[in-house]
Amino acid sequence: MNLPVLILLPLLTAVVILLMRNATQVKWAALAGAAAQFVLAFALLFAFRSERAAGNEAQMLFELQYNWFPAWHISFHLGVDGISVAMILLTSFVVIAGVLVSWNVEKMTKEFYFLLILLSLGAYGFFMSLDLFILFFFLEIAVIPKYLLIGIWGSGKKEYAANKLALMLMGGSALVLVGLLGTYFGSPTKTFDLMTLSQLNIPASVQHICFPLLFVGFGVFTALFPFHTWVPDGHSSAPTAGSMFLAGISMKLGGYGCLRVATYIMPDGAKEYANIIIVLSAIAILYGAFATMMQKDLKYINAYSSVSHCGFVLLGIGMLTKTAMTGAVMQMVSHGLMTALFFAVIGMIYERTHTRQVNEMGGLLKVMPFITTVLFIVGLCSLGLPGLSGFVAEMTIFMGSWQNTDAFHRIATIAACMSIVVTAVYILRAVGQTAMGPLKAGYENLTDATWNEKAAAIILIAGIVAIGIAPFWLNDLVSPATEIIMKKLAAVTAGM
């Protein structure tokens, strides 16, 4: 498996899009590129599983390394483990669904699709990078297109939302950069190579300073409380595909960074700050759930619920058990699929009704059976219905959290579990008011989903059901990687 192909393909697609002359050509070129990414992601999954089945126990597979800046020990170093493969697979699902849902975009179509594809380029590079400098480079590539997508194609207070998002994420990036430089200069061997750093004993004093910088910096991307305030505004003002990318992919960059970079190379720091992470995560879970209950706009409902659901990711990481960390990765994949589908459905409804206010809708099941059925499915996934991915991921986190037997961890776990009841309330109320009851006047002639919208929904539902019905494949994919992180944490405990 040649990993650079997954980076070159979006880049080539973006270049081809710029050369196209009309909107139809642009759309089909973007779809072809997204479909190729989708196929390559599955090829990577099968190749990875084949290597593992053949007995290849290397921590990272398909590694490729070129010296880029030897003076600073910076190299173009790529490689994947189970966590990386899961994130790449998630990205491919959201990319192809986002392209399909955006089929009716008429304003600056070429530029719109160019920025969407550029986002996927940044995500693939980030999830494969084993050099922290290159990882940071790809993280930045995934920031700027969001600002433009919201500022140009967004709605509502789009300029305010775009500026707020860009400033918050740039602030998080600045913390990450300072943390990476501190790690570089504070480590025994000055290097940005993730695999080398993971083998070094970075001084505890360095970890205690750099870990919070890295964790908070990446945490800003994944709605770490109290740095979550960009999420509702950013999601609500973004175009449909922009919201799908923001919640489905971009917020996962932060969770991946917290686990792969901060926790993995700085286990001493992770142990030191674990309780603070748990408290902030529990606050985010409950605050996000209760704040969602107060919302009347469908996009704000999904945005605030994303704050709550992403809190589970950080909670799983902070619990520092293998099961909880595996659950955190499963939650990243599950939430990415679920929230992308939720925003896609909201976009379909808004395009037809021209409103996102729940109290202005009703009876849509009568005229839009496919769209409202998908709304029911994603709503049930969000509240944790067994058989769908949301249940599997959250239960894995709860089980891993409960493995900590002290009162503090048990109380935090119970508090997080309480959010399930609140989630059920706001999901059932929003979905029920939107789809059920008498049809509101003026909605009699609304049309159901088009071919492209149905294709996008079916792709994302397939991913949600595949995890919900048969979670073992994702668990088996991720567990060996989380086991390695746990060994690092156990070594710290043994040395104390």
Side-chain angles (χ1 to χ4, degrees), residues 116-406:
L116 278 187
I117 298 300
L118 203 61
L119 274 174
S120 68
L121 167 67
Y124 288 126
F126 182 86
F127 292 133
M128 291 189 290
S129 294
L130 297 180
D131 184 279
L132 296 181
F133 189 89
I134 301 300
L135 179 141
F136 180 78
F137 169 75
F138 281 113
L139 179 67
E140 293 306 286
I141 289 179
V143 171
I144 300 302
K146 301 171 199 170
Y147 171 80
L148 297 173
L149 283 169
I150 297 173
I152 298 173
W153 291 273
S155 58
K157 298 179 180 179
K158 58 183 183 180
E159 292 85 2
Y160 168 78
N163 286 324
K164 185 174 185 179
L165 176 142
L167 290 172
M168 289 290 287
L169 296 189
M170 285 295 184
S173 297
L175 291 177
V176 170
L177 180 59
V178 174
L180 293 180
L181 291 174
T183 304
Y184 175 87
F185 288 107
S187 61
T189 302
K190 290 183 171 54
T191 179
F192 284 106
D193 189 80
L194 180 67
M195 305 313 296
T196 303
L197 287 169
S198 69
Q199 302 302 317
L200 298 175
N201 291 318
I202 300 174
S205 58
V206 175
Q207 294 192 38
H208 292 170
I209 295 173
C210 293
F211 178 86
L213 293 172
L214 290 171
F215 199 95
V216 172
F218 284 119
V220 171
F221 284 78
T222 194
L224 173 67
F225 184 88
F227 306 104
H228 64 283
T229 55
W230 65 269
V231 175
D233 294 314
H235 287 336
S236 63
S237 297
T240 299
S243 297
M244 293 169 67
F245 273 64
L246 267 176
I249 300 174
S250 298
M251 293 179 75
K252 308 307 169 282
L253 302 178
Y256 181 87
C258 288
L259 182 61
R260 166 72 76 219
V261 181
T263 305
Y264 181 44
I265 67 174
M266 297 192 171
D268 207 322
K271 288 272 189 180
E272 180 73 16
Y273 294 100
N275 289 350
I276 297 175
I277 294 169
I278 291 169
V279 170
L280 293 179
S281 301
I283 292 172
I285 291 167
L286 291 172
Y287 163 79
F290 281 108
T292 307
M293 285 188 65
M294 307 303 295
Q295 306 307 313
K296 304 298 182 184
D297 184 306
L298 281 175
K299 265 202 169 184
Y300 271 99
I301 288 172
N302 197 21
Y304 274 103
S305 70
S306 291
V307 174
S308 180
H309 285 114
C310 284
F312 284 112
V313 174
L314 298 177
L315 180 71
I317 296 172
M319 286 294 177
L320 301 183
T321 68
K322 179 188 173 183
T323 304
M325 286 189 180
T326 302
V329 179
M330 295 177 75
Q331 175 70 353
M332 282 193 273
V333 178
S334 169
H335 181 260
L337 295 169
M338 175 185 71
T339 197
L341 180 59
F342 213 146
F343 277 122
V345 174
I346 293 169
M348 297 176 202
I349 293 172
Y350 178 73
E351 191 171 312
R352 289 157 174 81
T353 63
H354 304 294
T355 182
R356 298 194 306 251
Q357 298 299 315
V358 173
N359 56 9
E360 295 177 8
M361 291 181 275
L364 296 183
L365 183 61
K366 297 180 177 66
V367 290
M368 297 188 295
F370 181 88
I371 292 175
T372 46
T373 299
V374 175
L375 180 64
F376 273 112
I377 292 172
V378 73
L380 293 173
C381 180
S382 181
L383 61 82
L385 182 75
L388 299 174
S389 62
F391 172 80
V392 173
E394 291 180 11
M395 279 303 299
T396 306
I397 293 172
F398 293 149
M399 291 174 66
S401 301
W402 200 254
Q403 290 175 357
N404 293 301
T405 57
D406 60 285

Side-chain angles (χ1 to χ4, degrees), residues 6 34 37-46 49 80-97 123-124 127-128 248-249 332-334 336-337 459-460 462-463 466-467 473-474 477-478:
L6 266 169
Q37 293 177 32
F38 193 65
V39 171
L40 269 178
F42 273 96
L44 174 63
L45 173 65
F46 291 127
R49 290 173 63 91
V80 293
D81 64 357
I83 298 174
S84 307
V85 173
M87 294 294 102
I88 289 168
L89 201 60
L90 166 65
T91 303
S92 70
F93 269 82
V94 177
V95 169
I96 192 169
Y124 288 126
F127 292 133
M128 291 189 290
I249 300 174
M332 282 193 273
V333 178
S334 169
L337 295 169
I459 287 170
L460 293 172
I467 298 171
W473 68 270
L474 182 58
L477 183 68
V478 170

